[in-house]
Amino acid sequence: MEDNKNRLQRLLTSQEWNDEDRLWLLNYLDNSDNNELHTLALEQYGSDLSELENSELQNLLDRKASEEILAHLHEKFNDQPAKKLFRLNRWAVAATVVLAVLSLSLLYYSNQSVETKIARNTPVHSVDIAPGSNKALLTLADGSTIVLDNISDGEITKQGNTSVIKSNDMLAYNNAKSLALNTNIQPTYNTITTPRGGQYKVILPDNTIVWLNAASSLRFPTKFSGKERKVDLTGEAYFEVAKNKAMPFKVSANNTQVEVLGTHFNVMAYTDENSINTTLLEGSVKIVKNNDHVLLVPGQQAQVKNDIKVLDADVQEAIAWKNGLFLFKEAQLETILKQIARWYDVEIEFEGNLPDEKFRAEVSRNVNLSQVLKILELSGVNFTLKEGRKIIVKP
């Protein structure tokens, strides 16, 4: 069986880490005094350093390990070499390896982008805020409301022939005849609303699956009828639309309409953003704005302002929230802070002008707010987390 030292050596020199390797490393770091880490570093660099004093040896190991391990980490996770690496002072060898294992690095590119990665949740501020969770409010056709995070699993209500069932933080509308083409049926509508700091998953009456991001709402009929399936969105949602050629699916968001037959796509339509962005993962969609329209193919994004602009999309970035991540590639700090404000339900207050640098960041949405801020602080921006859910941002 592979011992700790050999496994560490293998992982630090390997080309890729699998999930088992990551879990082992995290468990090792939680339960080890890190003697193997020091031994490994001494074996790697010690042959030509034996005459140095302990303090000098430690400082040199810090520098060499920081440079080489972080460079190795960068090559592992990124496509291009770093032009300049920001050094963090007073790192011990063990801490440097922890840095590598946790995928935390800060790099400046020639285009002044900043990259950070983090996967753990160590308290770093005296005030802290937990991440968002699965919570939402359901408004029924008669105007009554149900707080979904306060009720047990099972059937929570019945509307006509449609049963509304909660199961494992997901809402499902069960009606075997929900797609009947009967134009005489007068639809009744429900609305599911997530607060800041909330998200929720719902299966619509046609079996379309919708993931709703924080500070969003979706209005939909309890039974689809007629010649189309139409829903109204504010905020952001990811859709996996059930196929039905006889009844196209339409998403209406801020005077923009997304029309599909059966496909996977993300719509971001927050009112405080500069555009409504629809990103297509699978199938095809038509984007309609006034008299203008475009067709998207997978891998494209439509950005709607006064007109419609089609760009190549970074699909993983667009749906990272649905997969439990903040993922930014060349993002302005303002964009990052908007997402943080929605997910952690905080107010952002600026003192001075924001820096112009662009960030590359991958951060779990399951860590506490203080940990996210600590990563952003490595860029030179200062954050103070105040009581009352307020973040003060200083350049």
Side-chain angles (χ1 to χ4, degrees):
M1 179 177 293
E2 189 176 32
D3 62 24
N4 286 344
K5 186 179 76 171
N6 288 335
R7 190 165 190 176
L8 284 167
Q9 177 72 68
R10 177 176 62 80
L11 293 180
L12 290 176
T13 58
S14 67
Q15 294 302 309
E16 58 184 46
W17 297 331
N18 59 33
D19 291 340
E20 181 182 354
D21 291 331
R22 294 177 190 277
L23 290 173
W24 181 87
L25 283 162
L26 292 175
N27 182 69
Y28 169 77
L29 291 166
D30 283 339
N31 296 284
S32 171
D33 61 7
N34 294 315
N35 286 336
E36 289 91 347
L37 300 177
H38 287 276
T39 301
L40 181 64
L42 287 169
E43 287 182 353
Q44 184 171 357
Y45 304 117
S47 61
D48 59 338
L49 306 176
S50 58
E51 301 301 321
L52 295 177
E53 296 292 334
N54 285 341
S55 60
E56 295 175 309
L57 173 62
Q58 185 66 66
N59 289 335
L60 189 54
L61 288 176
D62 292 349
R63 178 172 59 80
K64 294 184 72 173
S66 296
E67 292 171 353
E68 296 194 13
I69 291 175
L70 288 178
H72 173 71
L73 178 70
H74 182 69
E75 293 174 357
K76 186 184 298 293
F77 286 101
N78 299 279
D79 297 330
Q80 55 181 319
K83 300 300 182 184
K84 182 178 180 182
L85 173 65
F86 259 132
R87 295 277 311 288
L88 303 181
N89 59 0
R90 303 187 64 184
W91 283 92
V93 173
T96 304
V97 179
V98 172
L99 183 70
V101 171
L102 297 185
S103 302
L104 168 60
S105 61
L106 177 63
L107 303 115
Y108 263 82
Y109 290 86
S110 56
N111 61 354
Q112 291 189 314
S113 68
V114 178
E115 173 169 343
T116 61
K117 290 194 175 195
I118 185 166
R120 305 197 67 189
N121 191 14
T122 305
V124 290
H125 282 254
S126 58
V127 178
D128 212 350
I129 294 175
S133 59
N134 296 314
K135 51 189 175 185
L137 180 73
L138 178 65
T139 303
L140 304 178
D142 62 3
S144 60
T145 59
I146 300 173
V147 180
L148 296 177
D149 39 310
N150 287 347
I151 61 174
S152 302
D153 286 357
E155 184 177 277
I156 61 175
T157 187
K158 193 164 186 177
Q159 300 175 97
N161 293 324
T162 302
S163 295
V164 184
I165 299 171
K166 179 192 175 187
S167 177
N168 297 322
D169 292 322
M170 178 180 69
L171 202 63
Y173 283 70
N174 293 343
N175 189 325
K177 299 180 180 180
S178 61
L179 295 180
L181 297 176
N182 185 345
T183 57
N184 295 322
I185 296 176
Q186 293 299 316
T188 57
Y189 288 87
N190 283 186
T191 300
I192 183 169
T193 305
T194 56
R196 290 160 62 96
Q199 63 181 12
Y200 221 80
K201 181 179 177 180
V202 57
I203 301 177
L204 301 180
D206 66 337
N207 290 322
T208 289
I209 305 173
V210 184
W211 286 259
L212 207 60
N213 203 352
S216 303
S217 69
L218 186 73
R219 181 178 180 267
F220 55 92
T222 60
K223 182 176 183 179
F224 287 109
S225 61
K227 296 182 179 181
E228 64 182 22
R229 296 167 287 167
K230 187 174 181 180
V231 301
D232 297 292
L233 172 70
T234 61
E236 184 170 23
Y238 174 78
F239 295 82
E240 292 186 356
V241 176
K243 290 181 172 61
N244 183 350
K245 292 182 179 180
M247 191 180 289
F249 192 96
K250 298 182 179 181
V251 180
S252 180
N254 295 344
N255 297 318
T256 298
Q257 189 164 273
V258 182
E259 300 180 6
V260 302
L261 295 176
T263 188
H264 298 180
F265 61 97
N266 190 86
V267 179
M268 190 277 290
Y270 289 109
T271 57
D272 62 347
E273 296 288 355
N274 293 327
S275 62
I276 298 172
N277 298 342
T278 300
T279 307
L280 182 62
L281 284 78
E282 178 183 307
S284 63
V285 300
K286 181 167 73 171
I287 312 298
V288 181
K289 170 73 172 181
N290 298 326
N291 295 323
D292 194 11
H293 72 273
V294 298
L295 294 175
L296 295 185
V297 299
Q300 289 185 330
Q301 181 181 92
Q303 296 182 354
V304 180
K305 296 181 182 179
N306 295 325
D307 55 7
I308 306 173
K309 184 178 181 180
V310 177
L311 305 171
D312 290 334
D314 188 309
V315 171
Q316 296 305 315
E317 184 176 9
I319 66 167
W321 68 269
K322 178 246 183 188
N323 296 327
L325 292 172
F326 293 111
L327 179 60
F328 305 102
K329 299 182 180 180
E330 306 304 322
Q332 296 285 351
L333 183 59
E334 182 180 7
T335 298
I336 297 175
L337 292 176
K338 284 180 181 179
Q339 291 200 26
I340 288 173
R342 294 181 196 121
W343 183 235
Y344 291 95
D345 187 17
V346 293
E347 177 186 352
I348 309 291
E349 183 175 307
F350 301 100
E351 294 186 1
N353 297 323
L354 290 179
D356 293 330
E357 290 85 4
K358 292 183 178 180
F359 287 76
R360 291 173 60 92
E362 179 179 331
V363 185
S364 170
R365 277 167 53 112
N366 294 322
V367 300
N368 284 352
L369 175 58
S370 66
Q371 189 64 50
V372 179
L373 298 182
K374 185 64 175 179
I375 298 307
L376 295 178
E377 284 173 348
L378 295 175
S379 68
V381 181
N382 297 308
F383 299 89
T384 303
L385 186 53
K386 297 287 190 179
E387 297 285 356
R389 311 186 77 90
K390 178 181 288 188
I391 300 172
I392 308 298
V393 184
K394 297 181 181 179

